[in-house]
Amino acid sequence: MRYALAIVPLLMATSCAAVPTAAEQEAAFLALTEAHFRDTITIEDDPLDPNITIDTHLGYQQTALFAPKQDQFLRGLAFRENGLLILQAYVTSDTRGSWLFPTQASFAHTLALRPVTTVHSDVDCGYTPCRHYEHVVFEFTPEELDAVIAEIEARGDQTLAYRILGQSGLDRDGRFHVNELKAFREATMPYRSENPNPE
């Protein structure tokens, strides 16, 4: 029993040391290379599915102990039947005490305000206050992706900042690394030639 009590502070110190600080997470995020995102892109090409899916979900996932779990990644859907290519940002929101009720996405530069679509929602009231989970997507064209990358590089920046605007009065801020955008463009490029880009 005495041994068990003595080891508890050691375990707590070890677990705390393993969690990176906000500054360390920021440095790690900004240091990510285009090669890293290229190597972690997932392409699902199941002939029984109507579309091929390309996503950057494994590229970067923020970790913070006991904090709300927010995530964002890029997803491409290349449809076999008509060659249509749809590019999306997939954003998760984890809020406490209230729903976000997302409506639109705004951007720091280049992209115009656009609607978002909620594709999943759930609530967990095992916590106080309840935690509300909402997954949303917004779309952009291949040409817009090119323009965003060019603008970020012209500014000497590293990220595209966005804000998901919520009807509840809450917002969800996030950003995409320029190297994630560039690796995603490269991965989706083979499917562009078949894209009719309907208006």
Side-chain angles (χ1 to χ4, degrees):
M1 178 68 175
R2 189 174 299 171
Y3 173 77
L5 290 174
I7 202 168
V8 168
L10 177 62
L11 290 174
M12 291 178 64
T14 302
S15 64
C16 289
V19 178
T21 65
E24 289 170 338
Q25 287 195 52
E26 175 71 1
F29 173 71
L30 294 178
L32 293 173
T33 64
E34 185 178 349
H36 163 79
F37 284 109
R38 188 185 307 120
D39 292 342
T40 54
I41 279 178
T42 299
I43 299 178
E44 295 182 9
D45 188 358
D46 184 337
L48 297 180
D49 284 341
N51 58 268
I52 299 165
T53 303
I54 307 102
D55 75 60
T56 64
H57 191 219
L58 298 179
Y60 180 78
Q61 295 173 330
Q62 187 171 356
T63 56
L65 195 62
F66 306 123
K69 300 297 185 288
Q70 313 283 14
D71 195 12
Q72 59 268 317
F73 59 92
L74 302 169
R75 180 171 71 172
L77 303 172
F79 289 85
R80 301 176 193 279
E81 184 177 3
N82 57 13
L84 178 65
L85 175 64
I86 294 177
L87 304 183
Q88 298 175 327
Y90 192 111
V91 181
T92 68
S93 170
D94 176 357
T95 54
R96 293 177 178 173
S98 176
W99 294 98
L100 178 64
F101 293 129
T103 58
Q104 294 179 309
S106 64
F107 307 89
H109 59 76
T110 313
L111 296 179
L113 189 73
R114 64 203 56 218
V116 300
T117 302
T118 301
V119 294
H120 172 75
S121 62
D122 199 2
V123 62
D124 184 352
C125 287
Y127 299 85
T128 303
C130 295
R131 294 176 72 162
H132 299 82
Y133 306 98
E134 294 162 282
H135 295 197
V136 303
V137 297
F138 60 82
E139 295 183 2
F140 50 93
T141 66
E143 293 75 20
E144 287 176 322
L145 177 59
D146 293 340
V148 164
I149 292 170
E151 176 70 16
I152 293 173
E153 293 183 323
R155 288 172 174 264
D157 292 339
Q158 289 183 271
T159 63
L160 167 70
Y162 66 85
R163 172 168 291 163
I164 304 296
L165 306 171
Q167 287 180 314
S168 65
L170 299 174
D171 294 329
R172 159 76 164 90
D173 289 353
R175 60 199 175 145
F176 288 104
H177 199 298
V178 66
N179 288 331
E180 181 174 4
L181 295 166
K182 290 164 74 173
F184 181 66
R185 176 173 63 179
E186 180 181 326
T188 57
M189 192 67 73
Y191 308 100
R192 285 198 190 190
S193 60
E194 301 300 322
N195 181 20
N197 281 327
E199 295 296 330

